[in-house]
Amino acid sequence: MGGFKRDTQAIDAFLRSGALAPALLKEAEQLRAAAAAAAPRGSSDKGGHLADSYKAETAKASLYQGGPVRDVGRVYNDARHALAVEFGHRSKAGNPVPGAHTLGKLIGSKGKRKRRK
């Protein structure tokens, strides 16, 4: 009896076909909702603007430089202050303000995200 033979070309064609885009968008949308719920809300956030600025989408991209282009799910925040809140910044007085790492904490498998709660 023959063993399993991996068809790399067929796998590559499937990953480029767009068939995964709906499932990737669903996962990205769930992550977007979780990020919006976990986003910090403060006086400088102008009433939840940061939470409302998370977006989910699918796109064609390479997972690594020079790699094949395939469907990926993305979650991002387009608020002007999103990077400062995510990664940290300095206050006007020069004191360090640690990052909230909202997206960073949500990255990983669903099981890992559930265990973190």
Side-chain angles (χ1 to χ4, degrees), residues 14-91:
F14 173 71
L15 292 173
R16 293 174 186 236
S17 72
L20 290 176
L24 290 169
L25 184 57
K26 183 179 177 183
E27 289 294 317
E29 181 56 37
Q30 289 175 359
L31 185 60
R32 184 215 55 79
R41 287 167 172 76
S43 60
S44 65
D45 186 34
K46 316 273 190 288
H49 177 69
L50 184 71
D52 294 339
S53 297
Y54 284 99
K55 308 286 189 289
E57 68 180 16
T58 57
K60 299 271 188 197
S62 174
L63 297 179
Y64 54 91
Q65 190 171 3
V69 173
R70 55 184 63 168
D71 287 320
V72 296
R74 290 185 181 160
V75 176
Y76 63 95
N77 191 308
D78 60 3
R80 235 180 54 196
H81 58 297
L83 287 174
V85 174
E86 181 73 11
F87 298 109
H89 61 282
R90 293 206 174 267
S91 68

